[in-house]
Amino acid sequence: MARLIFSGLAEGVDTPEQNIIPSKEGRAWESCMTIGDSCGWGYIKNNPNLKSTTQLIQYLVTAASGGGNYLLNVGLKPDGTIPAPLVKRLKEIGAWMKENKESIYGCGRASFGGGMVGLTTAKNDKVYLHTFRWPGEEICLAGV
């Protein structure tokens, strides 16, 4: 499902929920997604369907490579704390971001893709390849 939020601009912002669906180039968009399954945006006591850290990082990269923003919902417990399994994932994402933030913050679409191995992001004169599947000793990218 996608909705359009009007932000006082001539155009709005596309906000697909629970999916990463890049808008056409030049149009603002952000994907809104829960850390658990799609059955609720709030706290769910025993949600067995939490996304893995790897999945969450891949969604973040997918949003950045499509020129969008990734909004991750974390349901707080009734006492206002974040459940331990979610804290673990957030810390792991933070550690990944500490090492790879240059390839996400301020980046957008690259002029070529990552082929079968991953996705690309770009900023100024740099292109970053995010490899999701390492094929062996070398990677060959067409169109570079």
Side-chain angles (χ1 to χ4, degrees):
M1 170 189 355
R3 66 179 178 210
L4 186 61
I5 296 178
F6 291 95
S7 58
L9 304 172
E11 294 186 30
V13 176
D14 294 332
T15 58
E17 291 185 7
Q18 303 295 4
N19 291 293
I20 308 283
I21 304 171
S23 296
K24 65 181 180 179
E25 193 164 357
R27 182 161 172 83
W29 69 275
E30 82 174 359
S31 176
C32 308
M33 191 175 287
T34 57
I35 201 166
D37 58 21
S38 61
C39 66
W41 288 92
Y43 172 66
I44 300 171
K45 186 175 183 178
N46 295 310
N47 189 342
N49 300 316
L50 296 177
K51 294 170 183 75
S52 70
T53 301
T54 299
Q55 284 177 297
L56 295 169
I57 290 170
Q58 287 179 351
Y59 289 142
L60 172 65
V61 170
T62 303
S65 73
N69 187 46
Y70 185 54
L71 174 68
L72 181 62
N73 178 74
V74 178
L76 302 178
K77 292 174 18 178
D79 66 0
T81 61
I82 299 174
L86 281 60
V87 170
K88 178 181 183 291
R89 285 165 175 75
L90 294 172
K91 285 183 177 183
E92 291 169 347
I93 293 168
W96 185 88
M97 284 296 293
K98 186 175 181 181
E99 295 294 319
N100 299 285
K101 63 185 172 203
E102 185 78 18
S103 70
I104 299 294
Y105 290 128
C107 285
R109 291 178 165 109
S111 59
F112 58 89
M116 296 292 290
V117 296
L119 295 169
T120 54
T121 57
K123 180 175 19 178
N124 300 324
D125 62 348
K126 290 186 180 180
V127 174
Y128 302 90
L129 174 64
H130 299 266
T131 54
F132 297 153
R133 293 166 291 284
W134 188 256
E137 292 185 26
E138 297 178 352
I139 293 176
C140 180
L141 292 178
V144 178

